[in-house]
Amino acid sequence: MLKIGVLALQGAIREHIQQVDKVGCKAIAVKSVEDLKGLNGLILPGGESTAIRKLLDQNNLLEPIRTLAEEGMPIFGTCAGLILLAGEVVGCESPHLGLMDVVVERNSYGRQVDSFEVELSIKNIGQNIPAVFIRAPHIVSVGQNVEILATFDNRIVLVRDRHYLGCSFHPELTEDVRIIKYFVEMIKQFNHTSLAKLDSI
């Protein structure tokens, strides 16, 4: 059984864990470096990107996650998770993890009260897929080798960059599991297991 970690510091943690369980994988709540061991993939949930970054630093998780990612561990970032993955964030001096070849702008769709749900057509995944936008970022631009999977209102909202998947919205807040299934297939393709000794990551 594949083990998929869900960064459990702040944000929509429970919903991601439920979706991972629903598609037949084992969900691991990641709060420490110890929790990273043996994972096949990792989800960075939505929430508040600045708060999550502070907690990543406090728990000494930023560099271990970056190391495992660079070794080939697939990572899926939603909303704030996308901001953490981005190589550049508009208005920020430096990126967080800086793993994806994308430029992201925060809070592109208004405040919390402006939240909404739409249905998207997503390349390689399907039609009429519900997407919940809550204080969502959008992807301003992508690198040459980044695949655009979905757009909304002429803005890029879902992309794949090698073994990284990033989206502006919250697929975990719906009953549709097609996007998480796509991530599971990515994990199978890269076949990574984080077996490195904890003191080396």
Side-chain angles (χ1 to χ4, degrees), residues 12 16 19 43-47 76-83 109 116-122 125 129-139 149-152 155-159 165-174 176 178-180:
H16 275 295
Q19 280 212 335
I43 294 172
L44 306 179
F76 177 23
T78 65
C79 198
L82 166 65
I83 294 169
Y109 294 97
F116 60 94
E117 181 175 335
V118 296
E119 290 188 344
L120 300 176
S121 173
I122 301 180
I125 298 179
I129 297 176
V132 178
F133 287 78
I134 304 173
R135 293 182 62 208
H138 85 282
I139 299 161
L149 300 179
T151 61
F152 172 69
R155 293 174 175 176
I156 304 167
V157 296
L158 178 62
V159 297
L165 186 67
C167 72
S168 300
F169 51 91
H170 291 265
E172 78 283 358
L173 298 182
T174 76
D176 195 302
R178 284 177 284 177
I179 295 177
I180 188 66

Side-chain angles (χ1 to χ4, degrees), residues 86-136:
E88 181 180 340
V89 180
V90 175
C92 294
E93 292 185 3
S94 60
H96 300 289
L97 287 165
L99 295 167
M100 294 187 78
D101 189 10
V102 299
V103 178
V104 169
E105 184 169 350
R106 297 174 294 180
N107 298 334
S108 302
Y109 294 97
R111 299 173 298 166
Q112 189 96 5
V113 295
D114 301 315
S115 302
F116 60 94
E117 181 175 335
V118 296
E119 290 188 344
L120 300 176
S121 173
I122 301 180
K123 182 180 178 181
N124 301 328
I125 298 179
Q127 307 290 325
N128 302 317
I129 297 176
V132 178
F133 287 78
I134 304 173
R135 293 182 62 208

Side-chain angles (χ1 to χ4, degrees), residues 9 11 13 15 20 27-28 35 45 47 51 61 95 107 128 132 136 152 175 188 198:
L9 302 178
I13 300 160
E15 293 85 354
V20 170
I28 305 294
D35 298 325
L61 278 166
N107 298 334
N128 302 317
V132 178
F152 172 69
E175 295 299 315
K188 291 177 180 178
L198 292 178

